Amino acid sequence: MATAGLYRRVLPSPPAIDFASDDGKKLFIEAVQAGTMEGFYKLISNFQTQSEPAYCGLASLSMVLNALAIDPGRKWKGPWRWFDESMLDCCEPLEKVKAEGISFGKTGTGHFSPIGGYHAGSDMVLILDVARFKYPPHWVPLTLLWEAMDTVDKTTGQRRGFMLISRPKRDPGLLYTLSCKHESWVSVVRYLMDDVPHLLKAKDVKDIKGVLSIFLASLPSGFRKFIQWVAEVRGEQDSGIGISEEEKRRLAIREELLKQVQDTGLFKHIVNFLSSTSCCRIVPIFGGSEDLHEIAASVCCQGAEILGGKSSTSGCACCHETCVKCVNADGHKTAMMLSATIVNGKNEEKVNMLVLQSLVELSGGAPDTNNTSTRPVGSNILTALLLMLPPETWCGIKDEKLLEEVQSLVSMDNLPAMLQEEVLHLRKQLYLLKKCQESKVDENLSAPCT
């Protein structure tokens, strides 16, 4: 009896050559001997079939990320951290991707698959097609592949192109990250990239306090959801697991990064400003009233959402309670673990979050410029935010002496190397979100780094 549907397709050969055919095997052996198949082994070890007809982009991306041995920092199933298509929902809801696919700039019409290797003699490349229900891995002439990539995607109006993905030298966004989960990100990006430069140009600013006052006076209300602390969240089932060497390493790096933020001249100006200002519009956002438990309630809610495999942008119903406890790290030091009970409808879940010791100290009291242990948590975030703004942001300041002072305070040349990387990561995120806001994300994914 005939069954509805399709069972694979016949590979058009020529020009394609089935990887498992005699000719395909011969090409593979010759390419291995020529040293042009080095990327093949890790890719084939993580080869997967796309789970939905429109998931070729997500399947290719998760396959490459796993091949590069990048830790997703979140669980896939059981205790295992592993990239899967279902986890790649940061730029588009998965239901939308199922229906429409995904464009090159988010990771349209067309197809994505990793390249497994190259045969120089025949000028052919091996395509590890993630649509294995349709075609097996196969060799194709490079010129033919190039012609296919050189066509225009009707969805974006841009040429298809290709993407090179490599493992970062260090974990990006160790302290902060920019979030587009809340719809207010559009207005925040517009304010930071468009409005702030115009405001500084329009006002006759005389000192740093005036610059900070102008910047904060019109800050969009959704700002606190835009720049967020990076946190490591665990489910209750992992509460008894000790802190791993990798976790201790990351915590130590974060502590050092936070110290570097607080050692900047800009941070000191911000602490003084927030300690002296009486503006009720500013202090609730960046003053001492922002404590660790408030931050944790938000982060743990998001963490519970991620651990549960949900991608809702609405967040949890509420954070029922939080408490801080010490966890033995290595016999000499202790790390801080913040536990929270998340209530979502009738469901209740306990999650734990590793936090920096200095963050607990920072949230312990009111702002005090003479005591580093009680400086406001928000001062750190505001410092990182101002450092990440494009250098041209400040060009409208009319007072030349003040302009020179501001440029010195935010100059990358005056920052330690580790903090430079953190700031550049945030700046790249900001540029990319700006392109998303302008619907130009597919034009150029690179962002200025200076």
Side-chain angles (χ1 to χ4, degrees), residues 52-55 58 92-102 108-109:
E52 294 283 344
Y55 271 17
L58 300 184
E92 291 286 4
L94 291 179
E95 290 302 318
K96 184 176 180 181
V97 177
K98 279 185 184 181
E100 303 176 11
I102 196 163
T109 57

Side-chain angles (χ1 to χ4, degrees), residues 98-300:
K98 279 185 184 181
E100 303 176 11
I102 196 163
S103 68
F104 189 82
K106 298 174 179 178
T107 338
T109 57
H111 189 56
F112 294 90
S113 280
I115 299 297
Y118 174 66
H119 187 278
S122 62
D123 197 28
M124 299 184 83
V125 295
L126 176 63
I127 297 178
L128 299 178
D129 202 327
V130 293
R132 290 195 283 181
F133 50 83
K134 186 183 297 184
Y135 294 124
H138 52 276
W139 296 91
V140 296
L142 180 57
T143 53
L144 187 63
L145 180 62
W146 181 263
E147 289 173 4
M149 292 189 299
D150 198 36
T151 57
V152 175
D153 186 330
K154 292 183 293 185
T155 304
T156 65
Q158 305 296 321
R159 298 189 183 280
R160 300 181 191 281
F162 62 93
M163 185 181 295
L164 295 174
I165 302 177
S166 59
R167 185 181 176 87
K169 294 181 180 178
R170 74 166 183 89
D171 297 331
L174 289 173
L175 274 184
Y176 316 100
T177 189
L178 303 185
S179 173
C180 56
K181 284 286 188 179
H182 192 271
E183 60 185 11
S184 62
W185 74 265
V186 176
S187 62
V188 176
V189 169
R190 184 183 298 114
Y191 177 76
L192 296 177
M193 297 292 280
D194 298 333
D195 297 348
V196 171
H198 290 302
L199 288 170
L200 291 173
K201 188 175 182 179
K203 304 288 185 178
D204 187 17
V205 192
K206 296 299 184 183
D207 53 26
I208 299 295
K209 183 177 179 180
V211 172
L212 294 175
S213 179
I214 287 175
F215 177 81
L216 292 172
S218 304
L219 202 60
S221 58
F223 172 77
R224 293 183 71 171
K225 298 180 180 179
F226 179 67
I227 182 168
Q228 299 180 350
W229 289 99
V230 172
E232 299 193 29
V233 180
R234 299 174 171 185
E236 183 183 17
Q237 66 273 20
D238 297 328
S239 58
I241 299 176
I243 299 176
S244 68
E245 290 300 319
E246 181 64 19
E247 287 172 326
K248 284 187 283 187
R249 183 188 69 84
R250 288 196 295 267
L251 282 173
I253 293 174
R254 286 171 177 159
E255 289 281 6
E256 175 59 26
L257 262 176
L258 192 58
K259 181 179 182 301
Q260 290 181 3
V261 170
Q262 294 165 5
D263 285 343
T264 63
L266 181 60
F267 176 82
K268 294 175 176 61
H269 278 286
I270 290 171
V271 169
N272 288 330
F273 175 75
L274 293 180
S275 300
S276 62
T277 184
S278 59
C279 176
C280 61
R281 174 73 175 89
I282 297 174
V283 173
I285 297 179
F286 289 108
S289 62
E290 180 184 16
D291 65 25
L292 182 64
H293 293 272
E294 291 180 22
I295 298 172
S298 174
V299 173
C300 287

Side-chain angles (χ1 to χ4, degrees), residues 386-397:
L386 293 177
L387 288 174
M388 82 175 182
L389 293 179
E392 60 270 20
T393 300
W394 319 104
C395 293
I397 297 176

